[in-house]
Amino acid sequence: MIKISHLKKEYPSATPLRDVNVEIHKGDVISIIGPSGTGKSTLIRCINMLETPTAGEIWVDGECITDKKCNINKIRQKMGMVFQSFNLFNHMNVIENIMAAPVDLLGKSKQEAYDKGIELLRTVGLADKAFNYPDVLSGGQKQRVAIARTLAMEPEIILLDEPTSALDPTMVGEVQAVIKDLAKKGLTLMIVTHEMRFAREIANRVFYMDDGGVYEDGTPEQIFDNPQRERTIRFIKHLKVFEKLITSKDFDFIGFNTELEEFGRRNQVPQKTIYRGGSVFEELVMQCLLPNLEKEFHLNIAFEYAQGTETLSMSLKYDGAHFDVRNTPNIVSLAIAENASESIEYTEMDADGFTNLVSVKIK
Amino acid sequence: MTIEKILDGTRLTVAIAGRLDTTTAPQLEAELKQSYDGTEKLVLDFAALEYLSSAGLRVLLAAQKVMNKQGEMVIRNVNETINEIFEVTGFVDILTIE
Ligand SMILES: Nc1ncnc2c1ncn2[C@@H]1O[C@H](COP(=O)(O)OP(=O)(O)O)[C@@H](O)[C@H]1O
Ligand SMILES: [Mg+2]
């Protein structure tokens, strides 16, 4: 139904979409999740051409909508859009808001548009508000009207960009229930949301967006229970990360410790745990690795704290010859590090210029 | 790290507070080197020591060797975390911990 290939969107100061390649099938309900600023809104806005892509193609029902010759208004009618802010016309009552576009753009008679509008208001539970003006409605009611208005255009796909994030928490449920009904009816939906439970319940596919595109695409079970890629895992498990790249043997060790302690305080890492983390770092990196590395080196260190499971882990990546730090002749340092760890594992790797990987689970 | 020295005849007490690690161990090493002359009993007070790494252990080992020749060295007021370090590294058998 929609095919996106090599989509790129560049702004002067940011390139949220570098290379997006996905296919959306009829009846798909797709939750789009990811950290803020990763191009979720940009993707949605490119799909209905509210933004002009910098490069790449988007095909809708066999038509290339990124082609200049394409009649974009005709395509837009196939796509409904629901925004965070409801964008209702305040000078029109509810039913007039819903009737306007079908009459103006689809050429429906007023009667036809009215009948359909009342029916839609019934499906979102607001038939009794047809003659009220938007300003007397609650946020949740406004958003349900906005959804009914979108449905009145009989779209084939509905794009929803954080439809509940401007709502008072007490109203999130009613709007989510309406969206769930749409999903059950077999409409094709793409929903940007940061409500993870909702994202999981409603969708048959989840796009995790990060690093310039759809970073991981899978079923809700795959993405939420068994994410495969590094950033997805971090996001899903709510990992707090403290990361540093070290390229000099006389880097600021004191400053590093201060920052590590601050990281621990900020994220409620038990003091004993952060103490052990610092100890493993000093023994493995300062005592065993740094003296062994070549003059020019890159060493990436990341501490990750999973607040859910209260576990701290440390990963070290470094370049140069393969060297398993556990083979260090410095047995005193190794003994201290091992005592502070559940496990220390080593793997030879070859990615991003790094050749060695040490993964430590701190006790 | 802060180091405080109290000399009582041939008995020297050195109280160490804070972190004894890769960066601070050389300071302690230098401080001790100046103090061996005439010392027959060296007491290291760890009551305020918060952190100890292998770099610190190495300085302690060197001090122990010197003191073996000219008297004795004892370590006092070791907390649980630091004692764990002495145990897992086998230093409990080399040092005198009171
Ligand atoms: N109209 C715009 N002009 C310039 N930069 C923009 C514009 N829209 C979005 N951006 C930038 O693109 C990035 C992604 O934005 P957005 O798609 O809104 O992310 P998300 O919805 O995932 O939070 C951000 O860095 C943002 O500043
Ligand atoms: Mg957004």
PDB file of all heavy atoms in Angstrom, chain A residues 253-254 257 261 275-276 278-279 282-283 286-287 330 332-333 335-336 339, chain B residues 19 21-23 50-55 57-58 80-81 84-85 88-89 91:
ATOM      1  N   PHE A 253      41.345  11.091  34.680  1.00  0.00           N
ATOM      2  CA  PHE A 253      40.793  10.000  35.483  1.00  0.00           C
ATOM      3  C   PHE A 253      39.988  10.525  36.674  1.00  0.00           C
ATOM      4  O   PHE A 253      38.933  10.000  37.011  1.00  0.00           O
ATOM      5  CB  PHE A 253      41.947   9.095  35.953  1.00  0.00           C
ATOM      6  CG  PHE A 253      41.533   7.992  36.898  1.00  0.00           C
ATOM      7  CD1 PHE A 253      40.615   7.031  36.500  1.00  0.00           C
ATOM      8  CD2 PHE A 253      42.079   7.900  38.171  1.00  0.00           C
ATOM      9  CE1 PHE A 253      40.242   6.001  37.364  1.00  0.00           C
ATOM     10  CE2 PHE A 253      41.703   6.878  39.036  1.00  0.00           C
ATOM     11  CZ  PHE A 253      40.785   5.940  38.634  1.00  0.00           C
ATOM     12  N   ILE A 254      40.469  11.602  37.288  1.00  0.00           N
ATOM     13  CA  ILE A 254      39.754  12.173  38.432  1.00  0.00           C
ATOM     14  C   ILE A 254      38.387  12.698  37.985  1.00  0.00           C
ATOM     15  O   ILE A 254      37.359  12.424  38.599  1.00  0.00           O
ATOM     16  CB  ILE A 254      40.577  13.311  39.092  1.00  0.00           C
ATOM     17  CG1 ILE A 254      41.909  12.740  39.594  1.00  0.00           C
ATOM     18  CG2 ILE A 254      39.797  13.973  40.226  1.00  0.00           C
ATOM     19  CD1 ILE A 254      42.868  13.781  40.131  1.00  0.00           C
ATOM     20  N   ASN A 257      35.968   9.873  37.340  1.00  0.00           N
ATOM     21  CA  ASN A 257      35.367   9.337  38.564  1.00  0.00           C
ATOM     22  C   ASN A 257      34.268  10.225  39.104  1.00  0.00           C
ATOM     23  O   ASN A 257      33.240   9.747  39.566  1.00  0.00           O
ATOM     24  CB  ASN A 257      36.443   9.162  39.635  1.00  0.00           C
ATOM     25  CG  ASN A 257      37.081   7.799  39.537  1.00  0.00           C
ATOM     26  OD1 ASN A 257      36.397   6.802  39.367  1.00  0.00           O
ATOM     27  ND2 ASN A 257      38.397   7.761  39.618  1.00  0.00           N
ATOM     28  N   GLU A 261      30.395   9.066  39.521  1.00  0.00           N
ATOM     29  CA  GLU A 261      29.652   9.158  40.772  1.00  0.00           C
ATOM     30  C   GLU A 261      28.382   9.980  40.608  1.00  0.00           C
ATOM     31  O   GLU A 261      27.322   9.633  41.129  1.00  0.00           O
ATOM     32  CB  GLU A 261      30.537   9.770  41.871  1.00  0.00           C
ATOM     33  CG  GLU A 261      31.425   8.716  42.510  1.00  0.00           C
ATOM     34  CD  GLU A 261      32.517   9.316  43.387  1.00  0.00           C
ATOM     35  OE1 GLU A 261      32.362  10.467  43.837  1.00  0.00           O
ATOM     36  OE2 GLU A 261      33.528   8.617  43.598  1.00  0.00           O
ATOM     37  N   TYR A 275      30.536   2.119  43.258  1.00  0.00           N
ATOM     38  CA  TYR A 275      31.893   1.946  43.786  1.00  0.00           C
ATOM     39  C   TYR A 275      32.579   0.767  43.083  1.00  0.00           C
ATOM     40  O   TYR A 275      33.718   0.860  42.623  1.00  0.00           O
ATOM     41  CB  TYR A 275      31.787   1.685  45.291  1.00  0.00           C
ATOM     42  CG  TYR A 275      33.095   1.448  46.005  1.00  0.00           C
ATOM     43  CD1 TYR A 275      33.723   2.477  46.703  1.00  0.00           C
ATOM     44  CD2 TYR A 275      33.692   0.192  46.000  1.00  0.00           C
ATOM     45  CE1 TYR A 275      34.914   2.258  47.375  1.00  0.00           C
ATOM     46  CE2 TYR A 275      34.891  -0.041  46.666  1.00  0.00           C
ATOM     47  CZ  TYR A 275      35.491   1.001  47.360  1.00  0.00           C
ATOM     48  OH  TYR A 275      36.663   0.787  48.026  1.00  0.00           O
ATOM     49  N   ARG A 276      31.854  -0.328  42.976  1.00  0.00           N
ATOM     50  CA  ARG A 276      32.418  -1.505  42.301  1.00  0.00           C
ATOM     51  C   ARG A 276      32.680  -1.217  40.824  1.00  0.00           C
ATOM     52  O   ARG A 276      33.693  -1.626  40.279  1.00  0.00           O
ATOM     53  CB  ARG A 276      31.458  -2.690  42.419  1.00  0.00           C
ATOM     54  CG  ARG A 276      31.357  -3.220  43.826  1.00  0.00           C
ATOM     55  CD  ARG A 276      30.822  -4.639  43.798  1.00  0.00           C
ATOM     56  NE  ARG A 276      30.826  -5.192  45.130  1.00  0.00           N
ATOM     57  CZ  ARG A 276      29.734  -5.404  45.863  1.00  0.00           C
ATOM     58  NH1 ARG A 276      28.549  -5.135  45.365  1.00  0.00           N
ATOM     59  NH2 ARG A 276      29.839  -5.910  47.062  1.00  0.00           N
ATOM     60  N   GLY A 278      33.411   1.631  39.475  1.00  0.00           N
ATOM     61  CA  GLY A 278      34.618   2.455  39.390  1.00  0.00           C
ATOM     62  C   GLY A 278      35.858   1.624  39.618  1.00  0.00           C
ATOM     63  O   GLY A 278      36.898   1.830  38.977  1.00  0.00           O
ATOM     64  N   SER A 279      35.741   0.660  40.524  1.00  0.00           N
ATOM     65  CA  SER A 279      36.876  -0.196  40.828  1.00  0.00           C
ATOM     66  C   SER A 279      37.225  -1.082  39.627  1.00  0.00           C
ATOM     67  O   SER A 279      38.394  -1.213  39.251  1.00  0.00           O
ATOM     68  CB  SER A 279      36.521  -1.036  42.067  1.00  0.00           C
ATOM     69  OG  SER A 279      37.480  -2.015  42.289  1.00  0.00           O
ATOM     70  N   GLU A 282      38.904   1.060  37.015  1.00  0.00           N
ATOM     71  CA  GLU A 282      40.305   1.387  37.309  1.00  0.00           C
ATOM     72  C   GLU A 282      41.213   0.175  37.097  1.00  0.00           C
ATOM     73  O   GLU A 282      42.278   0.294  36.491  1.00  0.00           O
ATOM     74  CB  GLU A 282      40.460   1.901  38.748  1.00  0.00           C
ATOM     75  CG  GLU A 282      41.927   2.177  39.059  1.00  0.00           C
ATOM     76  CD  GLU A 282      42.192   2.868  40.381  1.00  0.00           C
ATOM     77  OE1 GLU A 282      41.229   3.233  41.073  1.00  0.00           O
ATOM     78  OE2 GLU A 282      43.381   3.032  40.705  1.00  0.00           O
ATOM     79  N   GLU A 283      40.786  -0.977  37.583  1.00  0.00           N
ATOM     80  CA  GLU A 283      41.659  -2.157  37.470  1.00  0.00           C
ATOM     81  C   GLU A 283      41.829  -2.601  36.022  1.00  0.00           C
ATOM     82  O   GLU A 283      42.938  -2.846  35.567  1.00  0.00           O
ATOM     83  CB  GLU A 283      41.124  -3.312  38.327  1.00  0.00           C
ATOM     84  CG  GLU A 283      41.021  -2.990  39.826  1.00  0.00           C
ATOM     85  CD  GLU A 283      42.315  -2.472  40.461  1.00  0.00           C
ATOM     86  OE1 GLU A 283      43.398  -2.694  39.897  1.00  0.00           O
ATOM     87  OE2 GLU A 283      42.229  -1.806  41.528  1.00  0.00           O
ATOM     88  N   MET A 286      42.678   1.307  33.666  1.00  0.00           N
ATOM     89  CA  MET A 286      43.858   2.067  34.061  1.00  0.00           C
ATOM     90  C   MET A 286      45.064   1.153  34.280  1.00  0.00           C
ATOM     91  O   MET A 286      46.185   1.505  33.937  1.00  0.00           O
ATOM     92  CB  MET A 286      43.594   2.849  35.354  1.00  0.00           C
ATOM     93  CG  MET A 286      42.415   3.793  35.298  1.00  0.00           C
ATOM     94  SD  MET A 286      42.576   5.041  34.025  1.00  0.00           S
ATOM     95  CE  MET A 286      43.898   6.037  34.701  1.00  0.00           C
ATOM     96  N   GLN A 287      44.821  -0.001  34.888  1.00  0.00           N
ATOM     97  CA  GLN A 287      45.940  -0.858  35.274  1.00  0.00           C
ATOM     98  C   GLN A 287      46.302  -1.903  34.224  1.00  0.00           C
ATOM     99  O   GLN A 287      47.471  -2.195  34.032  1.00  0.00           O
ATOM    100  CB  GLN A 287      45.630  -1.543  36.612  1.00  0.00           C
ATOM    101  CG  GLN A 287      45.506  -0.575  37.785  1.00  0.00           C
ATOM    102  CD  GLN A 287      46.835   0.088  38.121  1.00  0.00           C
ATOM    103  OE1 GLN A 287      47.895  -0.490  37.940  1.00  0.00           O
ATOM    104  NE2 GLN A 287      46.783   1.314  38.594  1.00  0.00           N
ATOM    105  N   ASN A 330      48.724  -8.972  35.190  1.00  0.00           N
ATOM    106  CA  ASN A 330      48.447  -8.240  36.430  1.00  0.00           C
ATOM    107  C   ASN A 330      47.349  -8.957  37.216  1.00  0.00           C
ATOM    108  O   ASN A 330      46.180  -8.579  37.183  1.00  0.00           O
ATOM    109  CB  ASN A 330      48.028  -6.821  36.055  1.00  0.00           C
ATOM    110  CG  ASN A 330      47.854  -5.930  37.261  1.00  0.00           C
ATOM    111  OD1 ASN A 330      47.760  -6.408  38.395  1.00  0.00           O
ATOM    112  ND2 ASN A 330      47.799  -4.637  37.011  1.00  0.00           N
ATOM    113  N   VAL A 332      46.765  -9.147  40.367  1.00  0.00           N
ATOM    114  CA  VAL A 332      46.163  -8.426  41.489  1.00  0.00           C
ATOM    115  C   VAL A 332      44.960  -7.609  40.999  1.00  0.00           C
ATOM    116  O   VAL A 332      43.865  -7.673  41.557  1.00  0.00           O
ATOM    117  CB  VAL A 332      47.211  -7.530  42.187  1.00  0.00           C
ATOM    118  CG1 VAL A 332      46.534  -6.608  43.195  1.00  0.00           C
ATOM    119  CG2 VAL A 332      48.260  -8.388  42.871  1.00  0.00           C
ATOM    120  N   SER A 333      45.182  -6.872  39.917  1.00  0.00           N
ATOM    121  CA  SER A 333      44.085  -6.078  39.360  1.00  0.00           C
ATOM    122  C   SER A 333      42.935  -6.977  38.924  1.00  0.00           C
ATOM    123  O   SER A 333      41.767  -6.674  39.165  1.00  0.00           O
ATOM    124  CB  SER A 333      44.564  -5.272  38.152  1.00  0.00           C
ATOM    125  OG  SER A 333      45.360  -4.194  38.599  1.00  0.00           O
ATOM    126  N   ALA A 335      42.122  -9.865  40.036  1.00  0.00           N
ATOM    127  CA  ALA A 335      41.422 -10.410  41.210  1.00  0.00           C
ATOM    128  C   ALA A 335      40.429  -9.394  41.771  1.00  0.00           C
ATOM    129  O   ALA A 335      39.297  -9.742  42.120  1.00  0.00           O
ATOM    130  CB  ALA A 335      42.433 -10.812  42.283  1.00  0.00           C
ATOM    131  N   ILE A 336      40.836  -8.131  41.834  1.00  0.00           N
ATOM    132  CA  ILE A 336      39.938  -7.097  42.355  1.00  0.00           C
ATOM    133  C   ILE A 336      38.729  -6.936  41.417  1.00  0.00           C
ATOM    134  O   ILE A 336      37.586  -6.881  41.851  1.00  0.00           O
ATOM    135  CB  ILE A 336      40.677  -5.748  42.524  1.00  0.00           C
ATOM    136  CG1 ILE A 336      41.793  -5.906  43.573  1.00  0.00           C
ATOM    137  CG2 ILE A 336      39.711  -4.638  42.931  1.00  0.00           C
ATOM    138  CD1 ILE A 336      42.669  -4.670  43.737  1.00  0.00           C
ATOM    139  N   ASN A 339      36.381  -9.881  41.629  1.00  0.00           N
ATOM    140  CA  ASN A 339      35.621  -9.876  42.871  1.00  0.00           C
ATOM    141  C   ASN A 339      34.437  -8.913  42.825  1.00  0.00           C
ATOM    142  O   ASN A 339      33.416  -9.127  43.470  1.00  0.00           O
ATOM    143  CB  ASN A 339      36.549  -9.509  44.032  1.00  0.00           C
ATOM    144  CG  ASN A 339      35.811  -9.481  45.355  1.00  0.00           C
ATOM    145  OD1 ASN A 339      35.588  -8.418  45.929  1.00  0.00           O
ATOM    146  ND2 ASN A 339      35.392 -10.637  45.829  1.00  0.00           N
TER     147      ASN A 339
ATOM    148  N   ARG B  19      40.547   8.685  48.564  1.00  0.00           N
ATOM    149  CA  ARG B  19      40.801   7.614  47.592  1.00  0.00           C
ATOM    150  C   ARG B  19      42.289   7.353  47.426  1.00  0.00           C
ATOM    151  O   ARG B  19      43.059   8.262  47.158  1.00  0.00           O
ATOM    152  CB  ARG B  19      40.238   8.018  46.218  1.00  0.00           C
ATOM    153  CG  ARG B  19      38.736   8.179  46.162  1.00  0.00           C
ATOM    154  CD  ARG B  19      38.345   8.720  44.801  1.00  0.00           C
ATOM    155  NE  ARG B  19      38.798   7.819  43.741  1.00  0.00           N
ATOM    156  CZ  ARG B  19      38.048   6.861  43.216  1.00  0.00           C
ATOM    157  NH1 ARG B  19      36.822   6.681  43.622  1.00  0.00           N
ATOM    158  NH2 ARG B  19      38.532   6.080  42.269  1.00  0.00           N
ATOM    159  N   ASP B  21      44.197   5.610  44.833  1.00  0.00           N
ATOM    160  CA  ASP B  21      44.002   4.987  43.522  1.00  0.00           C
ATOM    161  C   ASP B  21      45.155   5.306  42.585  1.00  0.00           C
ATOM    162  O   ASP B  21      46.208   5.802  43.008  1.00  0.00           O
ATOM    163  CB  ASP B  21      42.660   5.435  42.928  1.00  0.00           C
ATOM    164  CG  ASP B  21      42.602   6.945  42.686  1.00  0.00           C
ATOM    165  OD1 ASP B  21      43.655   7.607  42.725  1.00  0.00           O
ATOM    166  OD2 ASP B  21      41.489   7.468  42.456  1.00  0.00           O
ATOM    167  N   THR B  22      44.964   5.044  41.316  1.00  0.00           N
ATOM    168  CA  THR B  22      45.998   5.253  40.308  1.00  0.00           C
ATOM    169  C   THR B  22      46.593   6.659  40.367  1.00  0.00           C
ATOM    170  O   THR B  22      47.800   6.834  40.228  1.00  0.00           O
ATOM    171  CB  THR B  22      45.409   5.011  38.898  1.00  0.00           C
ATOM    172  OG1 THR B  22      44.885   3.680  38.873  1.00  0.00           O
ATOM    173  CG2 THR B  22      46.460   5.161  37.818  1.00  0.00           C
ATOM    174  N   THR B  23      45.735   7.652  40.575  1.00  0.00           N
ATOM    175  CA  THR B  23      46.232   9.028  40.577  1.00  0.00           C
ATOM    176  C   THR B  23      46.899   9.410  41.889  1.00  0.00           C
ATOM    177  O   THR B  23      47.867  10.175  41.884  1.00  0.00           O
ATOM    178  CB  THR B  23      45.070  10.043  40.362  1.00  0.00           C
ATOM    179  OG1 THR B  23      43.946   9.364  39.876  1.00  0.00           O
ATOM    180  CG2 THR B  23      45.483  11.166  39.480  1.00  0.00           C
ATOM    181  N   GLU B  50      38.404   5.681  51.814  1.00  0.00           N
ATOM    182  CA  GLU B  50      37.127   5.291  51.211  1.00  0.00           C
ATOM    183  C   GLU B  50      37.295   4.300  50.074  1.00  0.00           C
ATOM    184  O   GLU B  50      36.399   3.531  49.756  1.00  0.00           O
ATOM    185  CB  GLU B  50      36.419   6.537  50.657  1.00  0.00           C
ATOM    186  CG  GLU B  50      35.898   7.457  51.746  1.00  0.00           C
ATOM    187  CD  GLU B  50      35.619   8.857  51.225  1.00  0.00           C
ATOM    188  OE1 GLU B  50      35.662   9.078  49.997  1.00  0.00           O
ATOM    189  OE2 GLU B  50      35.384   9.743  52.068  1.00  0.00           O
ATOM    190  N   TYR B  51      38.455   4.357  49.432  1.00  0.00           N
ATOM    191  CA  TYR B  51      38.614   3.556  48.216  1.00  0.00           C
ATOM    192  C   TYR B  51      40.064   3.143  48.086  1.00  0.00           C
ATOM    193  O   TYR B  51      40.973   3.936  48.351  1.00  0.00           O
ATOM    194  CB  TYR B  51      38.200   4.408  47.006  1.00  0.00           C
ATOM    195  CG  TYR B  51      38.389   3.744  45.658  1.00  0.00           C
ATOM    196  CD1 TYR B  51      37.333   3.083  45.032  1.00  0.00           C
ATOM    197  CD2 TYR B  51      39.617   3.794  45.000  1.00  0.00           C
ATOM    198  CE1 TYR B  51      37.489   2.484  43.798  1.00  0.00           C
ATOM    199  CE2 TYR B  51      39.790   3.201  43.766  1.00  0.00           C
ATOM    200  CZ  TYR B  51      38.727   2.543  43.157  1.00  0.00           C
ATOM    201  OH  TYR B  51      38.895   1.961  41.940  1.00  0.00           O
ATOM    202  N   LEU B  52      40.262   1.892  47.696  1.00  0.00           N
ATOM    203  CA  LEU B  52      41.627   1.388  47.523  1.00  0.00           C
ATOM    204  C   LEU B  52      41.701   0.568  46.249  1.00  0.00           C
ATOM    205  O   LEU B  52      40.860  -0.295  46.016  1.00  0.00           O
ATOM    206  CB  LEU B  52      41.999   0.512  48.730  1.00  0.00           C
ATOM    207  CG  LEU B  52      43.346  -0.212  48.663  1.00  0.00           C
ATOM    208  CD1 LEU B  52      44.517   0.773  48.705  1.00  0.00           C
ATOM    209  CD2 LEU B  52      43.475  -1.222  49.807  1.00  0.00           C
ATOM    210  N   SER B  53      42.697   0.848  45.428  1.00  0.00           N
ATOM    211  CA  SER B  53      42.855   0.064  44.201  1.00  0.00           C
ATOM    212  C   SER B  53      44.202  -0.646  44.224  1.00  0.00           C
ATOM    213  O   SER B  53      44.999  -0.475  45.153  1.00  0.00           O
ATOM    214  CB  SER B  53      42.774   0.970  42.973  1.00  0.00           C
ATOM    215  OG  SER B  53      44.024   1.605  42.755  1.00  0.00           O
ATOM    216  N   SER B  54      44.465  -1.406  43.178  1.00  0.00           N
ATOM    217  CA  SER B  54      45.721  -2.161  43.102  1.00  0.00           C
ATOM    218  C   SER B  54      46.931  -1.228  43.115  1.00  0.00           C
ATOM    219  O   SER B  54      47.997  -1.590  43.604  1.00  0.00           O
ATOM    220  CB  SER B  54      45.742  -3.024  41.841  1.00  0.00           C
ATOM    221  OG  SER B  54      45.655  -2.194  40.700  1.00  0.00           O
ATOM    222  N   ALA B  55      46.734  -0.004  42.595  1.00  0.00           N
ATOM    223  CA  ALA B  55      47.841   0.957  42.612  1.00  0.00           C
ATOM    224  C   ALA B  55      48.231   1.280  44.054  1.00  0.00           C
ATOM    225  O   ALA B  55      49.422   1.407  44.384  1.00  0.00           O
ATOM    226  CB  ALA B  55      47.439   2.235  41.871  1.00  0.00           C
ATOM    227  N   LEU B  57      47.655  -0.769  46.614  1.00  0.00           N
ATOM    228  CA  LEU B  57      48.214  -2.009  47.170  1.00  0.00           C
ATOM    229  C   LEU B  57      49.711  -2.098  46.901  1.00  0.00           C
ATOM    230  O   LEU B  57      50.490  -2.539  47.742  1.00  0.00           O
ATOM    231  CB  LEU B  57      47.521  -3.235  46.556  1.00  0.00           C
ATOM    232  CG  LEU B  57      46.079  -3.527  46.997  1.00  0.00           C
ATOM    233  CD1 LEU B  57      45.541  -4.733  46.249  1.00  0.00           C
ATOM    234  CD2 LEU B  57      46.018  -3.764  48.504  1.00  0.00           C
ATOM    235  N   ARG B  58      50.092  -1.697  45.706  1.00  0.00           N
ATOM    236  CA  ARG B  58      51.493  -1.773  45.325  1.00  0.00           C
ATOM    237  C   ARG B  58      52.376  -0.904  46.235  1.00  0.00           C
ATOM    238  O   ARG B  58      53.467  -1.305  46.631  1.00  0.00           O
ATOM    239  CB  ARG B  58      51.660  -1.368  43.855  1.00  0.00           C
ATOM    240  CG  ARG B  58      52.375  -2.433  43.052  1.00  0.00           C
ATOM    241  CD  ARG B  58      52.228  -2.234  41.564  1.00  0.00           C
ATOM    242  NE  ARG B  58      50.996  -2.865  41.097  1.00  0.00           N
ATOM    243  CZ  ARG B  58      50.072  -2.271  40.389  1.00  0.00           C
ATOM    244  NH1 ARG B  58      50.196  -0.991  40.070  1.00  0.00           N
ATOM    245  NH2 ARG B  58      49.015  -2.930  40.004  1.00  0.00           N
ATOM    246  N   GLU B  80      35.099  -2.621  55.889  1.00  0.00           N
ATOM    247  CA  GLU B  80      34.717  -3.894  55.269  1.00  0.00           C
ATOM    248  C   GLU B  80      35.075  -3.961  53.781  1.00  0.00           C
ATOM    249  O   GLU B  80      35.637  -4.945  53.307  1.00  0.00           O
ATOM    250  CB  GLU B  80      33.205  -4.043  55.427  1.00  0.00           C
ATOM    251  CG  GLU B  80      32.704  -5.463  55.383  1.00  0.00           C
ATOM    252  CD  GLU B  80      31.181  -5.469  55.423  1.00  0.00           C
ATOM    253  OE1 GLU B  80      30.624  -4.712  56.252  1.00  0.00           O
ATOM    254  OE2 GLU B  80      30.587  -6.188  54.629  1.00  0.00           O
ATOM    255  N   THR B  81      34.761  -2.869  53.067  1.00  0.00           N
ATOM    256  CA  THR B  81      35.022  -2.845  51.626  1.00  0.00           C
ATOM    257  C   THR B  81      36.508  -2.983  51.333  1.00  0.00           C
ATOM    258  O   THR B  81      36.916  -3.696  50.419  1.00  0.00           O
ATOM    259  CB  THR B  81      34.537  -1.499  51.037  1.00  0.00           C
ATOM    260  OG1 THR B  81      33.322  -1.138  51.684  1.00  0.00           O
ATOM    261  CG2 THR B  81      34.324  -1.593  49.560  1.00  0.00           C
ATOM    262  N   GLU B  84      37.857  -6.399  52.022  1.00  0.00           N
ATOM    263  CA  GLU B  84      37.530  -7.328  50.935  1.00  0.00           C
ATOM    264  C   GLU B  84      38.639  -7.321  49.881  1.00  0.00           C
ATOM    265  O   GLU B  84      39.019  -8.363  49.354  1.00  0.00           O
ATOM    266  CB  GLU B  84      36.203  -6.875  50.324  1.00  0.00           C
ATOM    267  CG  GLU B  84      35.430  -7.960  49.609  1.00  0.00           C
ATOM    268  CD  GLU B  84      34.090  -7.423  49.101  1.00  0.00           C
ATOM    269  OE1 GLU B  84      33.296  -6.922  49.927  1.00  0.00           O
ATOM    270  OE2 GLU B  84      33.859  -7.487  47.886  1.00  0.00           O
ATOM    271  N   ILE B  85      39.152  -6.123  49.586  1.00  0.00           N
ATOM    272  CA  ILE B  85      40.232  -5.993  48.608  1.00  0.00           C
ATOM    273  C   ILE B  85      41.472  -6.754  49.108  1.00  0.00           C
ATOM    274  O   ILE B  85      42.115  -7.489  48.354  1.00  0.00           O
ATOM    275  CB  ILE B  85      40.605  -4.502  48.380  1.00  0.00           C
ATOM    276  CG1 ILE B  85      39.386  -3.695  47.932  1.00  0.00           C
ATOM    277  CG2 ILE B  85      41.790  -4.354  47.434  1.00  0.00           C
ATOM    278  CD1 ILE B  85      39.084  -3.707  46.466  1.00  0.00           C
ATOM    279  N   VAL B  88      40.676 -10.665  48.677  1.00  0.00           N
ATOM    280  CA  VAL B  88      40.644 -11.284  47.339  1.00  0.00           C
ATOM    281  C   VAL B  88      42.000 -11.234  46.641  1.00  0.00           C
ATOM    282  O   VAL B  88      42.254 -12.015  45.726  1.00  0.00           O
ATOM    283  CB  VAL B  88      39.579 -10.659  46.412  1.00  0.00           C
ATOM    284  CG1 VAL B  88      38.192 -10.843  47.010  1.00  0.00           C
ATOM    285  CG2 VAL B  88      39.869  -9.209  46.118  1.00  0.00           C
ATOM    286  N   THR B  89      42.864 -10.342  47.087  1.00  0.00           N
ATOM    287  CA  THR B  89      44.172 -10.245  46.432  1.00  0.00           C
ATOM    288  C   THR B  89      45.238 -11.029  47.195  1.00  0.00           C
ATOM    289  O   THR B  89      46.392 -11.075  46.769  1.00  0.00           O
ATOM    290  CB  THR B  89      44.629  -8.772  46.366  1.00  0.00           C
ATOM    291  OG1 THR B  89      44.565  -8.227  47.689  1.00  0.00           O
ATOM    292  CG2 THR B  89      43.745  -7.971  45.436  1.00  0.00           C
ATOM    293  N   PHE B  91      46.434 -10.137  49.966  1.00  0.00           N
ATOM    294  CA  PHE B  91      47.277  -9.226  50.742  1.00  0.00           C
ATOM    295  C   PHE B  91      47.105  -9.403  52.249  1.00  0.00           C
ATOM    296  O   PHE B  91      47.954  -8.974  53.016  1.00  0.00           O
ATOM    297  CB  PHE B  91      47.024  -7.757  50.336  1.00  0.00           C
ATOM    298  CG  PHE B  91      47.892  -7.310  49.197  1.00  0.00           C
ATOM    299  CD1 PHE B  91      47.845  -7.938  47.965  1.00  0.00           C
ATOM    300  CD2 PHE B  91      48.801  -6.253  49.360  1.00  0.00           C
ATOM    301  CE1 PHE B  91      48.656  -7.527  46.917  1.00  0.00           C
ATOM    302  CE2 PHE B  91      49.623  -5.842  48.317  1.00  0.00           C
ATOM    303  CZ  PHE B  91      49.547  -6.478  47.098  1.00  0.00           C
TER     304      PHE B  91
END
